[in-house]
Amino acid sequence: SDLAEKAIGQLQHSFAKYPTAFGQWLTAHELAAYGVTEIALIGDPSAAMTQTMLQVIQGAYAPDRVVALQRPGEHLPIELLQGREAIDGKPTAYVCRNFTCQMPVTDIPALETQLKR
């Protein structure tokens, strides 16, 4: 981590001068600075609201997001999905950062708020 930050720091002048040449470096910098956002989505993949939530989650370029989808009642061997349930039968999203999850959400405005930094 320290080595990566040092390498990124040495290239800052080049980033500013040639931003399109350093796309992967800028992605690495963002991941080092902010970490990964993990999203557990519990819902029927064919349901309109689940699809809308997926569109919101995947709508913008966000290489720092990991998404796991599980149908209600299904139990997949993915740690992010363990203990996650749909609330009141609605598609439910759990947005997590640094191994800490925010309160589960079942509506689009709340999901959008949680996805912002």
Side-chain angles (χ1 to χ4, degrees), residues 36-115:
V36 175
T37 300
E38 299 175 318
I39 303 148
L41 181 57
I42 311 303
D44 179 353
S46 64
M49 185 59 162
T50 304
Q51 290 180 13
T52 301
M53 290 179 110
L54 278 170
Q55 288 173 355
V56 168
I57 292 167
Q58 299 172 336
Y61 176 71
D64 66 329
R65 291 185 187 164
V66 174
V67 182
L69 173 64
Q70 177 174 276
R71 290 174 177 81
E74 183 177 49
H75 298 288
L76 300 175
I78 299 171
E79 191 171 334
L80 178 60
L81 296 170
Q82 300 306 306
R84 311 286 184 218
E85 300 290 333
I87 296 175
D88 296 329
K90 299 176 185 175
T92 304
Y94 296 79
V95 178
C96 311
R97 290 185 183 92
N98 298 318
F99 305 103
T100 303
C101 297
Q102 299 178 54
M103 294 298 294
V105 295
T106 59
D107 63 82
I108 299 304
L111 176 58
E112 289 173 331
T113 298
Q114 287 189 1
L115 290 174

